Amino acid sequence: FFEWRHCQYDKTEFDAEVSLNKLTLSGKTHLLAIVRDVTARKQAEEALRSSEEKFRTMVENSNDLIWMTDTEGKLTYANKRAEEIVGYKVSEVLNREFKDFVPAEDVSRLKKIIHESLKGESQRYHAHIFHRNGSLLTLSVNKAPIHKDGKIVGTVSFARDITEELQLKKELAKAEKLESIGVLAGGIAHDFNNFLTGILGSLSLAKMGLNSDSETFECLDEAEKATVRARDLTQQLLTFSKGGEPIKKTASITNLIKDTVSFVLRGSNIKPEFFFDDNLNQVEIDTGQISQVIHNLILNAKQAMPEGGTIKIKVQNKEFKKDANLPLKKGKYIKIIITDEGIGIPEKILPKIFDPYFTTKQSGSGLGLASCYSIIKKHDGHIAVTTKLGEGTTFRVYLPASINKAKIKKENLLEDLHGIGRILIMDDEEIIRHLSGKILIKFGYSVDYAEEGSKAIELYKQAMENNQPYDAVILDMTIPGGLGGLETLEHLYRLDSKVKAIVCSGYSNDPVMADFRKYGFCGVLPKPFRPKDLGSIIKQVLQDNIVPVNS
């Protein structure tokens, strides 16, 4: 039996399969040749070989992970992409069961999926799989049965690594959730800050006339501290407000971190250990907000260590020369690493820790870590967490470095805040107008009042006509039903190009508050404020010769 290719019959070439047999007829032996035309079969075999080669090339060079299992769930094939994504060599995974590479809690679900595929059904699902380095990947998988000779002999799976994609979606969903709650929170915080301004200012003003050793002074001091804590809560609410920006200035992070950590851990059985890089980059930050972040992270660490221990705080310079594998742009940063020795965070609640109002504590608002997340995002930074039950938790905070140098500013004492000048106060809240007036009169200034913009413009015009101009004006940003601070300032500039205006608002994260000079103001006064805050900004503006950008 042999194959005879390219025979000719009737001048037509074809592939032939020839068998030779001996045949005896009438005592004579004959050679019988049987020729079979196998052209079609040969063409089919060649097409199959070509098809298999194309298929293998496509599979081996696919961007998807592709693997096959037999009916027992053992791996019989994996392509190069699977090797690249998962980290195992193909030879290391063949003939091993799929359950060797997935979390234990996923095994029963995946067994059920394979069982359904072996019944002839295609499946689409998400699966977790361990990388060789121990990290957990998430795959989007399409699984189908493999048929041979009318029977199902295994399954084939096509998968994409969606780990980073899911992480980015989570970050986006988290940001959208914080943004939506901010609309409501911002309005509440604004009104609350107006009330707190009256309370905090009155308490501080009352203390100024008392002996610090008196019982009344102590009671007022405790009430003032409670009001300040309430102010901190409204500040956390305001960090969620839509469109708000931190009021940034160039600062050194070192003292801010040391002072905040020392304050939180004072009197506790926890020791802080600091590690700072030499020549740390300076940062462009809202010092109050970043102090709040450090405060919340250290407080969390403290609460996770009821038996005491050590909290390590490392601060390093960091530079990304290209876009990092983080939601950060290339450039210089500082990296703050806070590591505790606490109980750790259970895996099931880890994705929720930055959600507003989520808390596992019996007391607390649930705004601490959510505030941290929102503040860092608004500083164009990033916050991340890793944890291990029973061993502790590490938070990593990235903040963009500043190209500017921080100015060292001397703290004013109350006796240094006295001055001379005429001040116009515009605010729709009567209690704030009168309280601010009392404070400034106590510091030596003369004061007039306006409840909205039109009245302020009229008073300012009259003062100029009487040759008794105001030395400064304090303008509330938002006046319901009347001219607010920004619109009023535009009119005042037409009357006096040298007007010195201070913007004041309970929306402390309003864009105008964050970049007040750009809008023509000489100073900014967030509510609620203490007498020394008001006295300091008036003193600074009257002595400041810097001209606003919009003047």
Side-chain angles (χ1 to χ4, degrees):
F1 177 85
F2 64 93
E3 191 174 284
W4 185 7
R5 296 178 61 88
H6 303 304
C7 299
Q8 283 195 350
Y9 176 75
D10 194 20
K11 298 185 179 180
T12 302
E13 246 188 36
F14 62 94
D15 287 331
E17 188 177 85
V18 182
S19 61
L20 297 177
N21 298 280
K22 288 182 179 180
L23 181 63
T24 303
L25 291 173
S26 304
K28 291 184 179 180
T29 301
H30 301 271
L31 189 63
L32 177 65
I34 301 174
V35 180
R36 184 179 294 113
D37 183 356
V38 294
T39 306
R41 194 186 79 189
K42 287 294 181 182
Q43 289 174 343
E45 289 175 352
E46 185 61 33
L48 180 60
R49 276 194 296 271
S50 177
S51 177
E52 286 178 345
E53 188 61 35
K54 288 178 181 177
F55 174 75
R56 182 172 296 279
T57 302
M58 289 169 58
V59 168
E60 287 298 328
N61 293 281
S62 172
N63 279 327
D64 289 343
L65 296 80
I66 301 174
W67 68 88
M68 297 179 185
T69 60
D70 61 17
T71 54
E72 302 298 320
K74 290 184 178 180
L75 291 157
T76 58
Y77 171 79
N79 69 345
K80 290 179 182 177
R81 185 62 174 160
E83 187 175 284
E84 293 169 4
I85 295 295
V86 184
Y88 289 96
K89 292 181 179 179
V90 172
S91 58
E92 294 178 292
V93 301
L94 292 182
N95 296 316
R96 291 177 63 179
E97 293 189 42
F98 77 93
K99 65 181 182 180
D100 294 342
F101 306 98
V102 302
E105 58 269 23
D106 285 1
V107 171
S108 60
R109 180 176 69 92
L110 295 178
K111 276 186 176 180
K112 183 178 179 181
I113 289 172
I114 292 175
H115 178 70
E116 295 298 323
S117 294
L118 291 173
K119 287 164 51 177
E121 298 178 17
S122 295
Q123 303 287 321
R124 300 184 70 176
Y125 60 97
H126 284 182
H128 296 113
I129 188 168
F130 286 112
H131 190 279
R132 184 169 185 162
N133 63 14
S135 62
L136 197 61
L137 305 176
T138 303
L139 306 180
S140 176
V141 186
N142 289 340
K143 185 183 290 291
I146 299 174
H147 296 267
K148 184 177 182 182
D149 298 329
K151 295 181 180 180
I152 296 175
V153 295
T155 65
V156 59
S157 299
F158 303 83
R160 282 190 308 114
D161 180 9
I162 58 170
T163 310
E164 289 187 12
E165 180 183 327
L166 287 180
Q167 186 60 37
L168 289 174
K169 283 183 178 178
K170 286 180 183 177
E171 293 286 330
L172 181 59
K174 202 181 296 176
E176 288 175 347
K177 186 185 295 184
L178 293 176
E179 187 176 354
S180 63
I181 198 173
V183 177
L184 176 63
I188 293 173
H190 170 262
D191 292 341
F192 197 45
N193 273 339
N194 274 334
F195 301 143
L196 287 179
T197 300
I199 297 169
L200 184 60
S202 296
L203 290 170
S204 300
L205 198 59
K207 284 171 58 183
M208 289 169 65
L210 295 173
N211 189 314
S212 60
D213 295 329
S214 70
E215 185 177 348
T216 304
F217 183 93
E218 290 180 6
C219 291
L220 291 173
D221 193 53
E222 288 301 315
E224 186 181 34
K225 289 176 182 176
T227 309
V228 169
R229 286 197 291 271
R231 179 188 66 180
D232 293 341
L233 178 60
T234 63
Q235 185 58 45
Q236 292 186 51
L237 284 168
L238 280 167
T239 59
F240 303 129
S241 292
K242 183 178 179 180
E245 293 296 330
I247 303 174
K248 297 179 184 178
K249 62 181 179 182
T250 305
S252 169
I253 203 77
T254 306
N255 290 335
L256 183 150
I257 289 177
K258 285 183 176 178
D259 292 345
T260 305
V261 172
S262 299
F263 176 79
V264 178
L265 298 181
R266 188 176 297 146
S268 72
N269 57 351
I270 296 173
K271 176 186 175 184
E273 290 184 358
F274 297 100
F275 305 89
F276 293 92
D277 272 6
D278 294 333
N279 302 315
L280 268 177
N281 293 323
Q282 297 195 327
V283 283
E284 198 82 12
I285 58 172
D286 183 315
T287 53
Q289 289 190 6
I290 297 302
S291 177
Q292 181 184 323
V293 170
I294 303 301
H295 181 282
N296 288 339
L297 295 180
I298 296 297
L299 184 61
N300 261 31
K302 176 183 174 182
Q303 293 170 343
M305 301 167 61
E307 304 301 321
T310 301
I311 298 176
K312 295 180 179 179
I313 302 99
K314 298 180 182 178
V315 188
Q316 306 167 337
N317 288 326
K318 185 75 177 177
E319 183 173 3
F320 298 112
K321 294 187 177 178
K322 60 180 181 178
D323 287 353
N325 192 23
L326 294 168
L328 294 171
K329 297 178 181 178
K330 64 181 179 180
K332 293 183 178 181
Y333 292 81
I334 64 159
K335 181 180 180 182
I336 305 167
I337 306 168
I338 298 175
T339 303
D340 65 50
E341 299 172 339
I343 57 177
I345 304 171
E347 185 178 347
K348 65 179 181 180
I349 72 169
L350 192 60
K352 301 178 182 178
I353 64 171
F354 293 116
D355 289 353
Y357 302 113
F358 175 80
T359 180
T360 58
K361 304 179 182 72
Q362 292 182 350
S363 62
S365 63
L367 289 174
L369 291 178
S371 297
C372 294
Y373 179 88
S374 185
I375 288 169
I376 297 304
K377 283 295 180 187
K378 288 181 179 179
H379 279 76
D380 299 318
H382 178 64
I383 182 169
V385 59
T386 54
T387 186
K388 204 164 187 180
L389 282 179
E391 296 186 18
T393 300
T394 297
F395 282 92
R396 293 174 178 82
V397 176
Y398 299 84
L399 290 169
S402 173
I403 59 173
N404 301 317
K405 294 292 182 183
K407 297 178 181 178
I408 299 175
K409 191 175 180 181
K410 182 183 176 183
E411 180 76 17
N412 286 319
L413 301 175
L414 285 177
E415 53 266 29
D416 297 329
L417 300 179
H418 288 268
I420 299 173
R422 298 191 70 215
I423 312 297
L424 175 60
I425 300 171
M426 183 195 84
D427 199 294
D428 63 313
E429 294 286 345
E430 183 179 4
I431 187 173
I432 296 176
R433 292 197 302 271
H434 289 170
L435 175 66
S436 301
K438 284 181 182 179
I439 294 170
L440 291 178
I441 289 169
K442 214 169 188 53
F443 286 144
Y445 299 97
S446 62
V447 182
D448 286 325
Y449 310 95
E451 64 275 8
E452 56 88 28
S454 298
K455 180 65 174 177
I457 295 165
E458 181 185 339
L459 289 175
Y460 199 95
K461 184 178 180 181
Q462 289 176 3
M464 290 189 68
E465 290 173 350
N466 294 333
N467 204 27
Q468 293 181 326
Y470 291 108
D471 296 285
V473 294
I474 300 172
L475 301 177
D476 187 19
M477 190 64 196
T478 306
I479 305 290
L483 288 180
L486 195 58
E487 297 91 339
T488 302
L489 183 58
E490 291 176 3
H491 288 278
L492 294 182
Y493 264 122
R494 295 182 194 133
L495 297 174
D496 180 8
S497 62
K498 297 181 180 179
V499 60
K500 290 193 171 185
I502 299 165
V503 60
C504 182
S505 178
Y507 288 112
S508 60
N509 58 348
D510 188 286
V512 177
M513 301 285 282
D515 199 2
F516 59 92
R517 291 193 186 278
K518 175 183 174 183
Y519 292 91
F521 292 96
C522 297
V524 59
L525 182 64
K527 296 177 184 177
F529 52 81
R530 298 180 183 183
K532 66 177 183 180
D533 301 323
L534 177 56
S536 294
I537 193 61
I538 289 292
K539 190 94 171 181
Q540 177 188 327
V541 166
L542 294 184
Q543 294 175 350
D544 193 356
N545 293 318
I546 297 176
V547 180
V549 176
N550 198 36
S551 64

